[in-house]
Amino acid sequence: MKSNKDAFRDYLELEKKYSTHTVNAYLNDIVFFEVFNKGHFEQDNIERVNYSQIRSWIVSLVDQNISNVSVNRKMASLKAFYKFLLKTKQIELNPMLKHKALKTPKIVQIPFSEKELFDLMNQVGSPVGFEEIRDKLIVDMFYTTGMRRAELIHLMLYNVDLVSNVIKVLGKRNKERIIPILPIVADQFKSYLDERDSVENITDADYFFISKKGLKLSESFVYRLINSYFSRVSEKVKKSPHVLRHTFATHLLNNGADLNSVKELLGHSSLASTQVYTHNSLAELKKVYGDAHPRNK
């Protein structure tokens, strides 16, 4: 008979369709709570805990200088676990029912400016060779599609349609979405594919982006690539693929795109996730308003 943890893993993987990374994070949090509960309350069965025991773990985590964001993530794992146990009738009361997340500071992501993007593209100019062409295309892909880093890394060769100029992206929870390719970027796709054909001994042949050794790109490689490129034109502390995704959304909204369209392009399940990007659009709107209104002259 499967343990509750094994059944929970199946639920996350098969029903919720979470990634392996997310599933492991959830289960690791549950194991850490099990260890804490056994050490402090000499209780092996976390299916029978009360909220005061969970509260003790929260206090212990905070005392270890673990951030509120990280504590909240661990509590989200427990909350999902006990909700699952309640749903499958393994418990009658959810000990997390009245839990409230710890307060966390709102972190406003600062996008790259349009000038920084155009300065970078001018610096890169006309790349030559497989790696230069690939790297410039990666930068342009993030900026013109708003893809997540994992989505770009796992983009399959057969999901790029240069006849219709669209790409099919597999997002979170295996949700597919179609993103158009701008004509200016389509030419780069063709150049990259020509160079890709010259790579010998391709191991990960189904993946669109590969290394010069024919392997699928790693997350750390893509992060370093974006950081290195934007260090040429930006002094912002955070220079990452996620900032480029944020930049994509902000620039679209600044130039008149409606929120629902941006939501679909980003692959968000609700408008609430997309509305975080309106902060910078509002700042831009205020600037335009202040510069243009006669009473502010």
Side-chain angles (χ1 to χ4, degrees):
M1 184 175 176
K2 282 188 175 181
S3 69
N4 284 329
K5 279 190 297 183
D6 288 336
F8 183 53
R9 176 187 285 277
D10 289 345
Y11 167 72
L12 294 177
E13 289 178 341
L14 303 176
E15 289 193 38
K16 301 298 284 184
K17 297 191 182 301
Y18 287 166
S19 68
T20 301
H21 175 79
T22 300
V23 172
N24 289 338
Y26 271 60
L27 292 171
N28 285 340
D29 291 336
I30 292 165
V31 168
F32 288 141
F33 178 56
E34 278 184 322
V35 172
F36 173 85
N37 201 53
K38 185 173 184 179
H40 286 75
F41 300 104
E42 298 181 352
Q43 181 182 10
D44 291 323
N45 189 357
I46 62 168
E47 286 83 348
R48 300 290 177 260
V49 302
N50 55 53
Y51 184 67
S52 65
Q53 291 167 269
I54 296 171
R55 181 69 185 172
S56 295
W57 190 38
I58 294 172
V59 172
S60 172
L61 293 170
V62 172
D63 286 344
Q64 295 172 56
N65 292 321
I66 293 174
S67 72
N68 285 6
V69 172
S70 295
V71 173
N72 285 343
R73 197 210 72 213
K74 294 179 187 299
M75 293 308 111
S77 300
L78 282 191
K79 195 171 184 178
F81 180 60
Y82 287 116
K83 189 176 179 181
F84 168 76
L85 294 181
L86 191 67
K87 181 180 179 180
T88 55
K89 296 182 168 42
Q90 302 301 310
I91 59 174
E92 294 180 0
L93 293 173
N94 184 348
M96 293 289 290
L97 189 62
K98 295 183 179 179
H99 171 74
K100 292 184 178 179
L102 302 182
K103 290 184 178 180
T104 56
K106 287 187 177 180
I107 300 173
V108 178
Q109 290 277 6
I110 301 174
F112 299 116
S113 67
E114 290 185 31
K115 182 179 182 304
E116 286 173 327
L117 262 300
F118 290 127
D119 284 349
L120 177 61
M121 291 307 171
N122 287 334
Q123 280 192 27
V124 173
S126 300
V128 177
F130 169 71
E131 289 183 292
E132 285 187 11
I133 291 172
R134 177 201 61 196
D135 294 352
K136 184 176 185 293
L137 178 57
I138 287 173
V139 174
D140 246 333
M141 283 279 281
F142 279 127
Y143 182 53
T144 62
T145 69
M147 295 173 72
R148 299 177 178 93
R149 174 170 54 174
E151 292 170 347
L152 181 135
I153 289 170
H154 292 96
L155 179 65
M156 310 306 284
L157 198 60
Y158 50 78
N159 283 335
V160 176
D161 181 354
L162 293 181
V163 175
S164 301
N165 273 356
V166 295
I167 54 175
K168 183 187 292 184
V169 175
L170 189 63
K172 288 185 175 180
R173 304 186 191 181
N174 291 328
K175 287 176 61 178
E176 288 186 347
R177 69 183 188 280
I178 304 296
I179 304 177
I181 300 170
L182 295 181
I184 193 172
V185 183
D187 291 337
Q188 293 185 53
F189 272 82
K190 293 167 186 172
S191 297
Y192 167 71
L193 289 172
D194 287 343
E195 292 292 336
R196 188 185 185 279
D197 287 341
S198 67
V199 177
E200 298 179 358
N201 302 320
I202 300 178
T203 302
D204 296 322
D206 286 340
Y207 290 93
F208 185 78
F209 286 109
I210 56 172
S211 70
K212 63 181 180 182
K213 294 182 178 179
L215 301 173
K216 180 183 74 169
L217 302 182
S218 69
E219 291 198 356
S220 58
F221 172 85
V222 175
Y223 179 89
R224 290 196 306 271
L225 169 66
I226 298 303
N227 189 281
S228 172
Y229 264 62
F230 280 90
S231 292
R232 307 178 190 182
V233 295
S234 178
E235 294 182 357
K236 290 181 175 65
V237 175
K238 188 77 170 176
K239 297 181 280 287
S240 68
H242 186 71
V243 173
L244 258 182
R245 175 173 162 86
H246 185 73
T247 301
F248 163 82
T250 302
H251 289 184
L252 282 180
L253 290 167
N254 284 348
N255 285 279
D258 69 275
L259 201 59
N260 267 309
S261 298
V262 175
K263 166 186 170 290
E264 294 301 318
L265 288 167
L266 290 172
H268 286 160
S269 56
S270 71
L271 270 179
S273 300
T274 315
Q275 282 170 336
V276 66
Y277 299 108
T278 62
H279 173 88
N280 293 285
S281 299
L282 181 59
E284 180 70 16
L285 186 61
K286 285 180 177 178
K287 180 179 182 300
V288 171
Y289 171 68
D291 290 344
H293 200 284
R295 288 295 297 273
N296 204 38
K297 300 298 183 184

